[in-house]
Amino acid sequence: LRWPGFIEFDEVNAKVLTYSAVSKAYKVWDMANYDLLYELNDPEIQEIKISPGVILCICSRVPSHVPLRLLSIEDGRELAALRHPLRPDAKVEVLELFNSRLLVKQEGAPMEIVDV
């Protein structure tokens, strides 16, 4: 693993998330024994957010929405595929996962809180 990749320790889920900028792959490891659990090789994934029990994959934005994938942190299984609508003329300032809620704030608009 080399820069500009990263490593993140998630104590809540007892997982380690790594990202390799060279292979453009995210890997999830078991924190107890450092076994590789699974790998995410989707080139559309722009960012990942972790919350208890789940991973939110934020995919490449299109003008009208941002595609989102909710995965089980245990095995990478897709739990839901979502398309959150966006105003095409406004920059996304905040897109965060907080437990089972998605917080989205676009420039010039109030924050939205959506159950996922």
Side-chain angles (χ1 to χ4, degrees):
L1 190 62
R2 296 186 184 140
W3 184 87
F6 69 82
I7 184 167
E8 181 177 330
F9 294 91
D10 176 22
E11 293 179 16
V12 172
N13 294 300
K15 303 291 183 272
V16 178
L17 174 70
T18 61
Y19 175 72
S20 168
V22 174
S23 65
K24 298 191 181 346
Y26 293 89
K27 294 181 181 180
V28 178
W29 309 77
D30 187 315
M31 194 182 286
N33 56 21
Y34 300 107
D35 286 344
L36 176 63
L37 299 174
Y38 55 92
E39 187 171 331
L40 302 171
N41 283 320
D42 185 344
E44 289 297 310
I45 297 174
Q46 298 296 305
E47 191 173 355
I48 284 187
K49 305 286 185 177
I50 298 175
S51 203
V54 296
I55 292 178
L56 177 70
C57 298
I58 303 168
C59 298
S60 300
R61 177 185 174 169
V62 296
S64 63
H65 68 275
V66 61
L68 305 167
R69 291 175 42 216
L70 201 60
L71 309 177
S72 164
I73 198 155
E74 295 302 323
D75 57 14
R77 178 177 39 90
E78 187 171 289
L79 303 172
L82 312 163
R83 292 172 35 155
H84 185 76
L86 296 174
R87 292 183 17 227
D89 59 337
K91 177 181 147 191
V92 175
E93 294 177 338
V94 175
L95 203 157
E96 290 291 335
L97 184 62
F98 183 72
N99 291 327
S100 64
R101 292 188 174 65
L102 181 67
L103 288 73
V104 182
K105 169 77 173 89
Q106 281 190 270
E107 193 172 65
M111 181 170 287
E112 298 176 71
I113 301 173
V114 181
D115 288 328
V116 293

